[in-house]
Amino acid sequence: QGYLGVALALDGRSDQAIPHLEQAIRTSPHDPQNAVFNMGLAIANYLAGRYNEAIGFGRKALQQRHGWTGAHRICIASLAQAGQIDEARAALARLKEMHPDLSIAWIEKNVLYTPGPMVKFIEGMRKAGLE
């Protein structure tokens, strides 16, 4: 359920992704993979334009797996799209300390969004100041 939800989220099919992700978390609330599923919920909400919800799920994923750069990225893009630019830029600066080679080109090469969702994700990262 959970990984199907993540795949659907990365493809921009938020309305289909969310029920699978929620079911995975309900089925096994203490599963260590719930960080992945919460990040999937963050992605699905981000791509649906629900940036504050995306921030909440991204932060939950970070609580479960603090050093996970993917969760940091979705939080940053969500903060920027929600108009919280100063917080997004500060979070990006912290992420760049962990991942100094992070760039738009790196994201395009290494992150698994399909083309349409990738454009929307990069938009948030650019707003946060990533080049």
Side-chain angles (χ1 to χ4, degrees), residues 51-84:
Y51 304 120
N52 289 323
E53 290 89 341
I55 293 165
F57 285 112
R59 286 181 172 155
K60 191 167 188 177
L62 283 171
Q63 288 172 347
Q64 294 167 319
R65 217 178 267 180
H66 177 71
W68 190 15
T69 59
H72 283 281
R73 288 192 306 265
I74 193 61
C75 280
I76 291 164
S78 300
L79 286 163
Q81 294 287 39
Q84 298 176 42

Side-chain angles (χ1 to χ4, degrees), residues 11-53:
D11 192 39
R13 295 191 278 173
S14 299
D15 291 340
Q16 292 173 294
I18 290 171
H20 290 287
L21 292 160
E22 291 173 338
Q23 178 63 38
I25 292 168
R26 272 193 313 273
T27 300
S28 186
H30 304 292
D31 190 324
Q33 294 305 309
N34 283 345
V36 175
F37 307 149
N38 278 306
M39 191 176 90
L41 286 166
I43 293 166
N45 280 285
Y46 174 87
L47 292 172
R50 295 185 293 267
Y51 304 120
N52 289 323
E53 290 89 341

